[in-house]
Structure formats: C-alpha cells, structure tokens
Amino acid sequence: MVRSAEDRMTWVCTPEPPAARLQLADSPSDGAMLDGGWWPTSRDAVVELCSLVTALTARRGGVIERIMLQPDAWDRHPGRIGVGGAVVRVGWFTTLAADLVIITGARDLRVDLAVVAPGTTYAVATATMLAASRPADSTRAAGGASVPCQPRQGRLTRADDDVAAWETEGGHHA
C-alpha cells in the first residue's frame, strides 16, 4: 500500500474528542479471547482512535503506544495520532480481521477489542459489545456481527505474528 504524506503525519486530537462507545470486561483476564467491544460512530480513523485512546486511558490507565487495525474498514490511515501529549503509532495490517483492534503499550498492556461496524443497529451493536466483554466467553455474538475468537495463550495466532513483526521492524520506543 502506498502511503501519502497525509497518512505519514501525526494527527493531533482535539482537546475533548467525542465519547467512545466502548464496553470493557470488568477486569482483564488472560483466559479471555477479547477484552471488550468498541462501536465507532464513523469510518474516520483519526476521530475514532482519539476517542478510543482517551476512553481506554481513563478506564484502564497505562500508556498506549500502538494500535493495530485492518485498513479496508477505515477511510483514512494515519500512521500516528497525538492524544493527551503522547504519540500513538497506528499500524495497518491486511491480515488482521476488520472486526478486531489490538491496542498495546507499556508494561505488557494489551487490549483486544471486537469492532462493531459504524452502521450496525443499536440492538446488534449492544449485544456484540456485551458478548465481547464477558471474560470467559469465547463464542460469537448473535445477530450477524461476529466476535473474533483469538486465544491469548497456547498457539500463536496471526494477530500475535503481526505484533511480533511490528516490535522487530524498527525498534520499540520507550
């Protein structure tokens, strides 16, 4: 994929991005397939990622350093976004499912979220996000919106390969 200068620049978020529609498990679990669900309001990655980073930082704490997404699900493909004085790198992987976002950061922070398409009905989106936020649930949500199942431990999944490749492609920033 050829990236434009616009995609390579750091997009700085507005001081108060819109609230993210996010449902997280009460407490992270190593046995869980997903940590919750996220329902963006649009396909504008800059606005939606600013909202997501702000909400995750407020709810879970920690420093978010990287976000992995599938490019076909989004209109713009920023390489970096500036949120609250920090820069978050955004990686675009065609091998990643469009209904999954992986957030990583300092101190082994990793949050896997099911992504509900912006145009999804309220009932289906709510059911999908609730199913994704159940810590022991490894099923798919009913109603047509799938919740990807990717175990965190045991065998290595394609998403884990992408994280490993990203960490070794040019160094980890401290």
Side-chain angles (χ1 to χ4, degrees):
M1 167 169 58
V2 177
R3 298 190 58 188
S4 69
E6 184 176 277
D7 291 339
R8 290 189 306 266
M9 67 190 329
T10 298
W11 291 84
V12 179
C13 299
T14 60
E16 292 187 33
R21 298 185 291 189
L22 181 65
Q23 179 72 41
L24 295 172
D26 290 334
S27 60
S29 168
D30 287 338
M33 306 269 179
L34 293 165
D35 298 297
W38 173 46
W39 183 22
T41 59
S42 71
R43 291 174 44 99
D44 184 342
V46 174
V47 172
E48 299 300 333
L49 292 177
C50 288
S51 297
L52 178 61
V53 169
T54 301
L56 279 173
T57 302
R59 292 184 191 181
R60 288 273 168 93
V63 176
I64 295 172
E65 296 173 342
R66 289 173 298 291
I67 299 174
M68 295 173 46
L69 297 158
Q70 211 281 351
D72 294 338
W74 301 93
D75 293 337
R76 293 195 279 177
H77 305 105
R80 293 178 303 275
I81 57 171
V83 184
V87 175
V88 179
R89 291 175 53 200
V90 182
W92 300 94
F93 297 91
T94 57
T95 57
L96 196 63
D99 58 357
L100 178 67
V101 61
I102 300 173
I103 298 104
T104 62
R107 297 189 180 123
D108 295 325
L109 171 70
R110 177 167 171 167
V111 179
D112 293 14
L113 298 173
V115 179
V116 180
T120 305
T121 65
Y122 178 81
V124 171
T126 302
T128 302
M129 290 192 306
L130 286 172
S133 66
R134 284 189 215 120
D137 194 6
S138 62
T139 61
R140 293 187 174 267
S146 67
V147 175
C149 297
Q150 296 189 351
R152 291 233 179 115
Q153 49 194 6
R155 77 181 169 84
L156 193 64
T157 63
R158 183 66 190 169
D160 289 330
D161 288 343
D162 288 341
V163 171
W166 196 355
E167 284 296 328
T168 59
E169 74 177 357
H172 175 80
H173 90 92

